[in-house]
Amino acid sequence: MSPSPIRTALSRLRPRLPKRGSSAHPGTAPAVALTRPARPWVRALGLTAVVMVGAWLGLLIVGNVRTPVGPMDTTMTLRPSLTGGTKINVSPLGALELDSHTAPVRLDVDVDRLDPVRSQNLVEHPELISGLQNEITRDVQEGTTELAVRSCVAVVSGAAALGLAVYRRPRRALAAGGLALALLAASGVSAYATWNPKSVLEPKFSGLLTSAPSVVGSARSIVTEFDVYQQELARLVTNVTKLYEATSTLPAYQPDPGTMRVLHVSDIHLNPAAWHIIASLVEQYDIDVIIDSGDTMDHGSAAENGFLDPISDLGAPYVWVRGNHDSRITQKYLSGLKNVHVLDDGRAVTVAGLRIAGSGDPQFTPDRSVVALGDPAERMTGIRLASALRDQERAGTPADIAVAHNPVAARETDGTVPLVLAGHVHKRHTEILKHGTRLKIEGSTGGGGLRAVQNQKPEQVRASVLYLDRNTRRMQAWDEITLGGLGLTTAEVTRHLAEEPEAEPSPSGSLSGTPSPGAPSPSPNPTP
């Protein structure tokens, strides 16, 4: 039976697709275009983006836990982070940041309020304070456990809900939730593997908390008492409670009779605001002696000498070495001021029970019109200072601290003194040198001086409080104080512990100040 004319005409109108394995005629486009599927890595990247956004939204909406910690009500939250760590917000006093772990999540603890009923109960029943440490530890464990469970639910729910909204396929939504759970689990493993229980020993303070260094106790108590993380956390939370009780009248730092306090300043560069800052730190920390590693002036002219007059009224002895912006005129003027000790050519003085030796900078370069002598002159000054330190040790009067303005000169004292201080570079740096001497370089206490207005950003104001054992004269810890520069009002205090270094034998002499039997034993892995 032959096909009808109508069917034959319709068949001629149909587009003819190329057969499998054959190609279309050159120069002609196919009648039907086929959609190319997305590449696998594009799909994976899209799914990952959906998971990350959904998990973050889940944590943001429901990923927090309100839990009591001792007498306080707190809110614990997990937040995405590039560096990890723990941040304790004590509004309105400020915050404490702890380098507790390295993971893509950060633990935020907001101290919401001090519960009046529980606080009054502690006041009326002092015997309950002895069990406060265990109570706080238990509260923290329960809170973090609940937070972990709630965070898992939050990230899975958020990722699955967003996956369903984007892909409209239940299988894709389940895949997004599973991937979110896997990422959270990996973050937890990373946090556990990098957990640092001693991070509470070196907190970074901000806000009004910078005015209360007693929040972590004295240098001696830090070294001897904080040995278990639960005890450390309990002590920290208990002290925060005390801060809340004091509100605006924060407790002063109570001096430890076994600890000496040295305020290290440098590179003031004619900034009058530095004297107010130094005087405040002297009073707040009960400083025994101030050590200035030079560049107090800018041009060293006689007209600038009046700037130095407030030094006599700072409330503590002032030990000074010449910087490359300080002239001999400056040095002579300072020598005549009350309560000031000028060191040069390896001269040593005993101030507040500390033996301090130092040498002034061999160069005077107040501006670029003066040709600098360079590092060779600095090294020679350091060599002469080291020789003077050895002579003093042989004479039975070893120095506890050496001071030089330029770090190049300071490095030459390695092996002759436990601690050497320097400045010049306007940047902080701490290093254990080859033969065991600790080199501490301070930033600019004057925020770079008045010339800082020429910079795009204000330079920060820096100073450090050094805690030394009164018997061994060895440094136990130090606080780094960092303030905002011109026009800024930020403040931070960071505490560091100073473990005793294990020095290589020095061919030219041993370190002075041999530790007493009660001193901490040297650590094989020193942490500057």
Side-chain angles (χ1 to χ4, degrees):
M1 183 176 180
S2 60
S4 65
I6 297 177
R7 183 177 297 176
T8 303
L10 289 175
S11 65
R12 291 176 179 176
L13 293 176
R14 291 175 183 169
R16 294 185 178 181
L17 298 177
K19 295 181 179 180
R20 183 176 297 178
S22 63
S23 59
H25 189 275
T28 61
V32 178
L34 299 178
T35 302
R36 180 176 296 177
R39 296 180 180 178
W41 66 270
V42 174
R43 292 199 303 268
L45 186 62
L47 180 62
T48 303
V50 169
V51 168
M52 297 295 290
V53 174
W56 179 77
L57 290 175
L59 286 176
L60 191 64
I61 297 172
V62 296
N64 59 74
V65 171
R66 293 181 59 86
T67 181
V69 177
M72 295 179 296
D73 292 329
T74 68
T75 300
M76 297 183 179
T77 311
L78 284 181
R79 294 292 186 216
S81 171
L82 296 177
T83 57
T86 299
K87 185 174 183 180
I88 303 174
N89 299 300
V90 193
S91 178
L93 300 177
L96 298 91
E97 295 183 22
L98 309 177
D99 189 15
S100 58
H101 63 277
T102 302
V105 289
R106 184 186 72 193
L107 174 62
D108 283 1
V109 181
D110 295 324
V111 180
D112 299 325
R113 72 185 185 103
L114 186 66
D115 186 271
V117 176
R118 283 175 283 165
S119 301
Q120 185 65 28
N121 194 30
L122 286 175
V123 174
E124 296 176 352
H125 303 281
E127 68 275 6
L128 297 177
I129 297 179
S130 60
L132 183 60
Q133 176 177 303
N134 294 332
E135 179 186 350
I136 291 174
T137 302
R138 183 174 61 254
D139 290 342
V140 171
Q141 290 176 343
E142 292 176 355
T144 52
T145 300
E146 183 180 353
L147 177 62
V149 175
R150 194 178 185 92
S151 297
C152 290
V153 175
V155 298
V156 171
S157 301
L162 187 60
L164 186 61
V166 172
Y167 296 111
R168 301 183 182 276
R169 295 180 182 178
R171 183 176 297 179
R172 285 289 184 91
L174 291 176
L179 180 58
L181 183 60
L183 291 176
L184 182 62
S187 300
V189 171
S190 176
Y192 179 81
T194 58
W195 184 250
N196 178 21
K198 293 188 178 298
S199 61
V200 74
L201 296 178
E202 300 185 357
K204 178 183 290 186
F205 303 103
S206 61
L208 292 177
L209 287 179
T210 57
S211 299
S214 60
V215 72
V216 289
S218 66
R220 178 178 293 274
S221 66
I222 288 175
V223 174
T224 59
E225 296 177 12
F226 285 82
D227 52 355
V228 180
Y229 175 71
Q230 285 83 355
Q231 295 177 354
E232 295 161 358
L233 186 60
R235 178 75 59 89
L236 185 63
V237 175
T238 302
N239 282 327
V240 169
T241 303
K242 295 177 181 178
L243 285 174
Y244 255 93
E245 293 173 349
T247 60
S248 60
T249 57
L250 299 176
Y253 184 81
Q254 297 298 325
D256 181 353
T259 302
M260 308 175 74
R261 292 165 179 79
V262 176
L263 178 62
H264 182 200
V265 302
S266 189
D267 296 85
I268 293 174
H269 284 292
L270 215 64
N271 187 348
W275 301 134
H276 300 281
I277 295 170
I278 293 173
S280 176
L281 292 174
V282 168
E283 180 180 2
Q284 177 184 337
Y285 286 85
D286 196 17
I287 296 297
D288 295 298
V289 58
I290 307 166
I291 298 180
D292 185 343
S293 50
D295 270 5
T296 312
M297 309 296 261
D298 230 3
H299 294 86
S301 64
E304 298 174 65
N305 286 343
F307 169 76
L308 304 170
D309 292 340
I311 291 179
S312 298
D313 301 319
L314 291 177
Y318 200 90
V319 178
W320 181 87
V321 297
R322 186 179 66 252
N324 62 294
H325 282 262
D326 304 317
S327 66
R328 297 281 179 173
I329 297 174
T330 304
Q331 181 164 310
K332 183 178 180 180
Y333 188 86
L334 270 170
S335 300
L337 291 182
K338 179 185 67 175
N339 222 21
V340 176
H341 304 269
V342 174
L343 303 181
D344 199 7
D345 299 323
R347 175 174 175 259
V349 294
T350 300
V351 183
L354 283 173
R355 186 75 173 167
I356 308 169
S359 291
D361 199 297
Q363 307 182 80
F364 177 53
T365 54
D367 51 53
R368 295 183 180 181
S369 65
V370 180
V371 178
L373 300 176
D375 288 351
E378 301 291 346
R379 292 192 184 95
M380 185 56 64
T381 296
I383 291 171
R384 293 194 184 102
L385 176 57
S387 177
L389 291 169
R390 295 188 194 97
D391 292 342
Q392 292 167 23
E393 185 174 12
R394 284 192 290 267
T397 56
D400 304 307
I401 301 175
V403 191
H405 177 65
N406 196 306
V408 175
R411 290 178 183 276
E412 298 298 327
T413 65
D414 185 20
T416 63
V417 69
L419 175 64
V420 60
L421 306 179
H424 182 62
V425 295
H426 293 206
K427 293 181 180 179
R428 279 199 184 107
H429 178 70
T430 302
E431 178 183 353
I432 302 296
L433 301 177
K434 181 178 180 181
H435 299 298
T437 294
R438 187 187 302 274
L439 169 63
K440 281 199 89 292
I441 305 172
E442 189 52 79
S444 174
T445 309
L450 298 181
R451 68 179 68 186
V453 298
Q454 301 173 355
N455 302 331
Q456 292 183 351
K457 294 182 179 180
E459 186 173 334
Q460 291 178 315
V461 174
R462 295 180 173 91
S464 294
V465 177
L466 318 180
Y467 301 98
L468 284 76
D469 185 274
R470 191 169 294 275
N471 296 321
T472 66
R473 308 296 193 271
R474 295 300 183 103
M475 191 165 65
Q476 296 178 313
W478 71 91
D479 286 345
E480 293 180 348
I481 295 95
T482 305
L483 307 176
L486 294 176
L488 301 181
T489 57
T490 58
E492 288 184 353
V493 178
T494 306
R495 174 157 292 178
H496 302 270
L497 295 181
E499 297 182 6
E500 283 295 319
E502 186 175 276
E504 295 184 11
S506 173
S508 53
S510 59
L511 288 175
S512 61
T514 304
S516 66
S521 58
S523 170
N525 297 310
T527 301

